[in-house]
Amino acid sequence: MTVIPNVECKETGNDCLTKKREFMESVSRFLENHDNLIKKIHLSFNPLGYRYRSDVCYWLSFVLKNGLEELDLVFDGSNNLMFLPSLLTAPNLKVLKLSHCVVNLPSIIGFKSLKSLLLGSMDIPKSVIGLICCHCESLQHFTLEYCSGFTKIEILDPKSKLETLILNDCQTMILDNLFAPFALKISSVKTLSIRQKIINFFFLGSPHINNLILCRQAEVPVTRQESRNMKDRIIGSLGNVRTLQLAGWAFERLISDDLGL
């Protein structure tokens, strides 16, 4: 059996239903008419809610049968696509990227070979994050992008092999028109990268981190609350950080004693 190392199926953004149907049929024909082993597949399109859910499940039944090492699913549109967790069973899967999906997240903990996981634009309960890091025995890199639903990230299991944790623009609940800060309780990682519009997190304890990257992305004025959080709940927890990189906007204002407010 021959191997196709990389397959990319990406919709061009045409909202015409005829064109979309042609796209769906062409992907199905491709998967049906070859017997090659696919190592990596990237699928990106708007399934129009649940209209094409059965097609997606049909495709996954082909590529997840054996040998797949990397799966990247991006479902554009306002409605996240839900599919059965049984379709996410792949014993050799090493890289998994899911965006705009609704899945039974605890089912991911069965991926013993998974080394890299990205979850994007998803609602994630706080308990699931620790379970994933604990039970995915080989997981080394974990990324959360535009995710919400959690108020705390706790990674304390000494058996965890996690080396890199990346948080990009993750938000928690809104209180008084402001995003409530979320807590990070982490024993140790090699690299922690946090890129947020504002500094809306804090540490519980003093984590051991080789390289901490903080990026404030929004070009908006610093509030007194944000500055106080930075000085009282972040700076004081950096005693076990070897390298600190600051990027983005207004960090000098965050640690200023006089905000001019």
Side-chain angles (χ1 to χ4, degrees), residues 227 230-231 235 250-257:
S227 177
M230 181 73 180
K231 289 183 286 187
I235 292 178
F251 267 107
E252 71 282 357
R253 300 284 288 167
L254 275 170
I255 59 177
S256 172
D257 290 327

Side-chain angles (χ1 to χ4, degrees), residues 84-108:
L84 298 175
S86 60
L87 292 173
L88 286 176
T89 54
N92 298 318
L93 197 65
K94 293 181 174 61
V95 179
L96 176 61
K97 301 177 183 179
L98 300 174
S99 296
H100 295 281
C101 300
V102 178
V103 298
N104 180 12
L105 287 172
S107 66
I108 294 176

Side-chain angles (χ1 to χ4, degrees), residues 127-178:
S127 59
V128 170
I129 297 175
L131 283 174
I132 290 174
C133 294
C134 174
H135 293 284
C136 289
E137 301 172 355
S138 302
L139 188 64
Q140 298 175 355
H141 309 286
F142 191 9
T143 300
L144 298 175
E145 292 185 341
Y146 314 110
C147 289
S148 59
F150 56 86
T151 56
K152 182 180 180 181
I153 295 177
E154 185 170 321
I155 305 174
L156 300 174
D157 195 302
K159 296 181 294 184
S160 172
K161 296 181 180 179
L162 191 68
E163 296 181 357
T164 303
L165 177 63
I166 299 174
L167 306 175
N168 288 339
D169 203 12
C170 293
Q171 308 292 356
T172 57
M173 66 185 71
I174 298 179
L175 298 175
D176 298 327
N177 295 321
L178 295 173

Side-chain angles (χ1 to χ4, degrees), residues 57-69:
C57 294
Y58 180 63
W59 297 342
L60 292 179
S61 68
F62 272 92
V63 300
L64 290 175
K65 284 188 294 187
N66 53 58
L68 187 73
E69 295 182 356

Side-chain angles (χ1 to χ4, degrees), residues 11-249:
E11 191 178 30
T12 59
N14 194 319
D15 292 329
C16 174
L17 291 180
T18 301
K19 293 292 185 181
K20 184 177 289 290
R21 189 67 254 173
E22 290 177 357
F23 169 79
M24 308 297 290
E25 291 174 353
S26 64
V27 174
S28 296
R29 282 196 304 270
F30 170 78
L31 294 175
E32 290 170 352
N33 294 330
H34 79 85
D35 59 354
N36 297 304
L37 181 64
I38 297 174
K39 289 291 186 180
K40 174 183 177 181
I41 187 166
H42 170 75
L43 173 62
S44 176
F45 83 113
N46 184 347
L48 299 179
Y50 289 90
R51 182 171 187 144
Y52 295 106
R53 177 178 179 271
S54 60
D55 296 83
V56 175
C57 294
Y58 180 63
W59 297 342
L60 292 179
S61 68
F62 272 92
V63 300
L64 290 175
K65 284 188 294 187
N66 53 58
L68 187 73
E69 295 182 356
E70 181 168 344
L71 176 62
D72 185 355
L73 301 178
V74 180
F75 298 119
D76 301 321
S78 58
N79 295 319
N80 288 6
L81 185 69
M82 178 182 292
F83 48 86
L84 298 175
S86 60
L87 292 173
L88 286 176
T89 54
N92 298 318
L93 197 65
K94 293 181 174 61
V95 179
L96 176 61
K97 301 177 183 179
L98 300 174
S99 296
H100 295 281
C101 300
V102 178
V103 298
N104 180 12
L105 287 172
S107 66
I108 294 176
I109 67 177
F111 292 164
K112 302 300 183 182
S113 300
L114 194 65
K115 292 185 177 182
S116 179
L117 174 64
L118 182 149
L119 302 177
S121 301
M122 298 171 63
D123 188 78
I124 304 174
K126 65 178 182 179
S127 59
V128 170
I129 297 175
L131 283 174
I132 290 174
C133 294
C134 174
H135 293 284
C136 289
E137 301 172 355
S138 302
L139 188 64
Q140 298 175 355
H141 309 286
F142 191 9
T143 300
L144 298 175
E145 292 185 341
Y146 314 110
C147 289
S148 59
F150 56 86
T151 56
K152 182 180 180 181
I153 295 177
E154 185 170 321
I155 305 174
L156 300 174
D157 195 302
K159 296 181 294 184
S160 172
K161 296 181 180 179
L162 191 68
E163 296 181 357
T164 303
L165 177 63
I166 299 174
L167 306 175
N168 288 339
D169 203 12
C170 293
Q171 308 292 356
T172 57
M173 66 185 71
I174 298 179
L175 298 175
D176 298 327
N177 295 321
L178 295 173
F179 287 108
F182 58 88
L184 289 172
K185 191 173 184 180
I186 302 171
S187 56
S188 65
V189 291
K190 289 185 177 179
T191 299
L192 174 61
S193 175
I194 304 176
R195 300 177 183 274
Q196 299 287 111
K197 287 186 172 64
I198 61 173
I199 302 302
N200 63 333
F201 72 94
F202 60 93
F203 289 109
L204 294 175
S206 299
H208 291 263
I209 302 172
N210 287 357
N211 186 24
L212 175 60
I213 303 169
L214 299 181
C215 179
R216 187 181 189 272
Q217 297 176 317
E219 295 186 11
V220 296
V222 175
T223 64
R224 191 176 300 278
Q225 178 183 356
E226 188 182 2
S227 177
R228 187 179 299 115
N229 178 61
M230 181 73 180
K231 289 183 286 187
D232 297 345
R233 307 174 81 181
I234 296 179
I235 292 178
S237 300
L238 303 183
N240 294 318
V241 174
R242 292 186 178 182
T243 303
L244 174 63
Q245 300 180 44
L246 300 179
W249 196 81

